[in-house]
Coordinates of all heavy atoms in Angstrom, one line a residue:
L11 N 293.5 106.1 19.6 CA 294.2 104.8 19.7 C 294.8 104.6 21.0 O 295.6 105.5 21.5 CB 295.3 104.8 18.6 CG 296.2 103.5 18.6 CD1 295.3 102.3 18.2 CD2 297.3 103.7 17.6
V12 N 294.5 103.5 21.7 CA 295.1 103.2 23.0 C 296.3 102.3 22.7 O 296.2 101.3 22.0 CB 294.1 102.5 23.9 CG1 294.7 102.0 25.2 CG2 292.9 103.4 24.2
L13 N 297.4 102.6 23.3 CA 298.6 101.7 23.2 C 298.7 100.9 24.5 O 298.8 101.5 25.6 CB 299.9 102.6 23.0 CG 300.0 103.4 21.8 CD1 301.4 104.0 21.7 CD2 299.7 102.7 20.5
D14 N 298.7 99.6 24.4 CA 298.9 98.8 25.6 C 300.4 98.4 25.6 O 300.9 97.6 24.9 CB 298.1 97.5 25.4 CG 298.2 96.5 26.6 OD1 298.7 97.0 27.7 OD2 297.9 95.4 26.5
L15 N 301.1 99.2 26.5 CA 302.5 99.0 26.6 C 302.9 97.7 27.5 O 302.1 97.4 28.4 CB 303.2 100.2 27.3 CG 303.1 101.5 26.5 CD1 303.9 102.6 27.2 CD2 303.5 101.4 25.1
P16 N 304.0 97.1 27.3 CA 304.4 96.0 28.2 C 304.8 96.6 29.5 O 305.1 97.8 29.6 CB 305.6 95.4 27.4 CG 306.1 96.4 26.6 CD 305.0 97.3 26.2
P17 N 304.9 95.7 30.5 CA 305.4 96.2 31.8 C 306.9 96.7 31.7 O 307.6 96.2 30.9 CB 305.3 94.9 32.7 CG 304.4 94.0 32.0 CD 304.6 94.3 30.6
G18 N 307.2 97.6 32.6 CA 308.6 98.0 32.7 C 308.8 99.4 32.1 O 307.9 100.1 31.7
T19 N 310.1 99.7 32.1 CA 310.5 101.1 31.6 C 311.8 100.9 30.7 O 312.7 101.6 30.8 CB 310.9 102.0 32.8 OG1 311.9 101.4 33.6 CG2 309.7 102.3 33.6
G20 N 311.7 99.9 29.8 CA 312.8 99.6 29.0 C 312.8 100.0 27.6 O 312.2 101.1 27.2
D21 N 313.3 99.2 26.7 CA 313.5 99.5 25.3 C 312.2 99.9 24.6 O 312.1 100.8 23.8 CB 314.2 98.4 24.5 CG 315.7 98.3 24.8 OD1 316.2 99.2 25.4 OD2 316.3 97.3 24.4
T22 N 311.2 99.0 24.8 CA 309.9 99.2 24.1 C 309.3 100.6 24.5 O 308.8 101.3 23.6 CB 308.9 98.1 24.4 OG1 309.5 96.8 24.0 CG2 307.6 98.3 23.8
Q23 N 309.2 100.8 25.8 CA 308.7 102.1 26.3 C 309.4 103.3 25.7 O 308.8 104.3 25.2 CB 308.7 102.1 27.8 CG 307.7 101.2 28.5 CD 308.2 99.8 28.5 OE1 309.4 99.5 28.1 NE2 307.5 98.9 29.1
L24 N 310.7 103.2 25.7 CA 311.5 104.3 25.2 C 311.3 104.5 23.7 O 311.2 105.6 23.2 CB 313.0 104.1 25.5 CG 313.4 104.3 26.9 CD1 314.9 104.0 27.1 CD2 313.2 105.8 27.3
S25 N 311.3 103.4 23.0 CA 311.1 103.5 21.5 C 309.7 104.1 21.2 O 309.6 104.9 20.3 CB 311.2 102.1 20.9 OG 312.5 101.6 21.0
V26 N 308.7 103.7 21.9 CA 307.4 104.2 21.6 C 307.3 105.7 21.9 O 306.9 106.5 21.1 CB 306.3 103.5 22.5 CG1 305.0 104.3 22.4 CG2 306.1 102.1 22.0
T27 N 307.9 106.1 23.1 CA 307.8 107.6 23.4 C 308.7 108.4 22.6 O 308.5 109.6 22.4 CB 308.2 107.7 24.9 OG1 309.5 107.2 25.1 CG2 307.2 107.0 25.8
Q28 N 309.8 107.8 22.0 CA 310.7 108.6 21.2 C 310.3 108.6 19.7 O 310.7 109.5 18.9 CB 312.1 108.1 21.3 CG 312.7 108.3 22.7 CD 314.1 107.6 22.8 OE1 314.5 106.9 22.0 NE2 314.7 107.9 24.0
Q29 N 309.5 107.7 19.2 CA 309.2 107.6 17.8 C 307.8 108.2 17.4 O 307.7 108.6 16.3 CB 309.2 106.1 17.4 CG 310.5 105.5 17.3 CD 310.4 104.1 16.8 OE1 309.5 103.7 16.0 NE2 311.4 103.2 17.1
I30 N 306.9 108.2 18.3 CA 305.5 108.7 18.0 C 305.1 109.8 18.9 O 305.6 110.0 20.0 CB 304.5 107.6 17.9 CG1 304.3 107.0 19.3 CG2 304.9 106.5 17.0 CD1 303.1 106.1 19.4
V31 N 304.2 110.6 18.4 CA 303.6 111.7 19.2 C 302.5 111.1 20.1 O 301.5 110.6 19.6 CB 303.0 112.8 18.3 CG1 302.4 113.9 19.1 CG2 304.1 113.4 17.4
L32 N 302.7 111.2 21.4 CA 301.7 110.7 22.4 C 301.0 111.9 23.0 O 301.6 112.9 23.4 CB 302.4 109.9 23.5 CG 303.0 108.5 23.1 CD1 303.8 108.0 24.3 CD2 301.9 107.6 22.7
D33 N 299.7 111.8 23.0 CA 298.9 112.9 23.6 C 298.8 112.7 25.1 O 298.3 113.7 25.8 CB 297.5 112.9 23.0 CG 297.5 113.2 21.5 OD1 297.6 114.4 21.2 OD2 297.5 112.3 20.7
G34 N 299.2 111.6 25.6 CA 299.2 111.4 27.1 C 299.5 110.0 27.5 O 299.4 109.1 26.6
S35 N 299.7 109.8 28.8 CA 299.9 108.4 29.3 C 299.1 108.2 30.5 O 298.8 109.2 31.3 CB 301.4 108.2 29.6 OG 301.8 109.2 30.6
V36 N 298.7 107.0 30.8 CA 297.9 106.6 31.9 C 298.7 105.5 32.6 O 299.1 104.5 32.0 CB 296.5 106.1 31.6 CG1 295.8 105.5 32.8 CG2 295.7 107.2 30.9
I37 N 299.0 105.6 33.9 CA 299.7 104.7 34.7 C 298.7 103.8 35.5 O 297.7 104.3 36.1 CB 300.6 105.3 35.7 CG1 301.6 106.3 35.0 CG2 301.4 104.3 36.6 CD1 302.6 105.6 34.2
V38 N 298.8 102.5 35.4 CA 297.9 101.6 36.1 C 298.7 100.9 37.3 O 299.9 100.5 37.1 CB 297.4 100.5 35.2 CG1 296.5 99.5 36.0 CG2 296.6 101.1 34.0

């Protein structure tokens, strides 16, 4: 499953990284 995160480093990004197990991240 690919997660398309919104721009920035705010609430959404923190919530995603703190709530679910991520196998990795890709920076564009």
